Amino acid sequence: MPASFHEVRFPLDVARGSRGGPEWRTDIVTLGSGAEHRNARWGQSRRRYDAGYGIKTLDALHAVLAFFEERRGRLHGFRWHDRLDCRSGAPLQEPTFGDQQIGIGDGETQTFQLVKRYGAGFAPYMRRIAKPVAGSVKVGVTDTEVAAEAFSVDDSTGLVTLATAPLPGAVVTAGFAFDVPVRFDTDALDVDLAAFSAGVIPTIPLIEIID
């Protein structure tokens, strides 16, 4: 069976109690003088999560078991709701059409990729957003919101297509909610029910899928 991506969310009640976040890979070489040389091995961050912290009941554990079986362990990807980083702005702020710049018009291009920028002053990091939440995307062109019927969104790729190409130099912006594409990072769920009853949390690792 070939790998695929299932456009379905991990059980939300469990995801809300999980832990995890972004990871970078950096090589550090310490010279004899004590000076350091640092080199980034990855061009983008990758997120890791442990869903086990969100499992509080036997029913929740069973729901995760069923989800794991349907994904065939590590084979199929799925959507994950990261409460800390799930919107184009701050997590408690409703998205607005001006949250993120996603492109500059050239009079011909109609399709733009959703992105989110982190930081501003030194070395901003731009992250591609491939899994927007259906119905959440708002688009603007040069500080004016675009009507919903004047653009379309591919919720499986994060591509926004405008009915009319923006004029040269026009700033294209967007606001949105989004999920993280992930997969299980194990092919085996090893759950000790006696330990679970005693309050021991099972480990259920997830890792972001990078295209």
Side-chain angles (χ1 to χ4, degrees):
M1 177 185 294
S4 64
F5 190 90
H6 295 172
E7 294 290 344
V8 60
R9 261 186 181 174
F10 186 88
L12 191 57
D13 56 336
V14 176
R16 284 174 174 164
S18 64
R19 65 179 296 176
E23 173 187 26
W24 287 88
R25 186 65 56 84
T26 307
D27 286 335
I28 300 178
V29 177
T30 303
L31 305 180
S33 64
E36 285 185 350
H37 284 296
R38 298 182 299 277
N39 182 63
R41 292 180 60 187
W42 293 354
Q44 56 188 320
S45 62
R46 190 176 197 183
R47 282 151 177 78
R48 291 182 180 272
Y49 304 97
D50 188 344
Y53 285 84
I55 298 176
K56 306 300 182 185
T57 67
L58 200 59
D59 283 352
L61 182 57
H62 180 268
V64 171
L65 172 65
F67 194 89
F68 178 83
E69 293 280 42
E70 191 173 8
R71 306 288 91 72
R72 273 68 165 176
R74 293 184 295 177
L75 184 61
H76 300 303
F78 52 92
R79 287 173 174 258
W80 171 263
H81 176 71
D82 183 344
R83 289 182 67 194
L84 177 62
D85 193 4
C86 59
R87 291 180 174 178
S88 49
L92 297 182
Q93 302 298 317
E94 286 296 323
T96 68
F97 70 86
D99 285 347
Q100 300 289 332
Q101 180 178 316
I102 63 172
I104 300 292
D106 59 9
E108 296 181 4
T109 302
Q110 292 177 253
T111 300
F112 300 87
Q113 175 69 55
L114 291 178
V115 295
K116 181 175 181 179
R117 286 175 176 78
Y118 298 81
F122 296 94
Y125 170 60
M126 187 168 68
R127 176 186 179 192
R128 174 176 170 265
I129 302 300
K131 300 297 178 183
V133 175
S136 72
V137 179
K138 301 177 181 179
V139 177
V141 175
T142 313
D143 298 325
T144 300
E145 185 167 8
V146 177
E149 60 270 18
F151 70 91
S152 61
V153 182
D154 186 335
D155 296 326
S156 66
T157 64
L159 290 174
V160 174
T161 300
L162 300 172
T164 303
L167 295 174
V171 177
V172 184
T173 58
F176 44 85
F178 65 94
D179 293 322
V180 183
V182 302
R183 62 168 172 80
F184 287 101
D185 198 22
T186 180
D187 275 327
L189 284 187
D190 185 11
V191 179
D192 184 335
L193 289 179
F196 180 74
S197 298
V200 177
I201 298 170
T203 298
I204 304 177
L206 310 175
I207 188 168
E208 184 177 8
I209 297 171
I210 302 294
D211 293 330

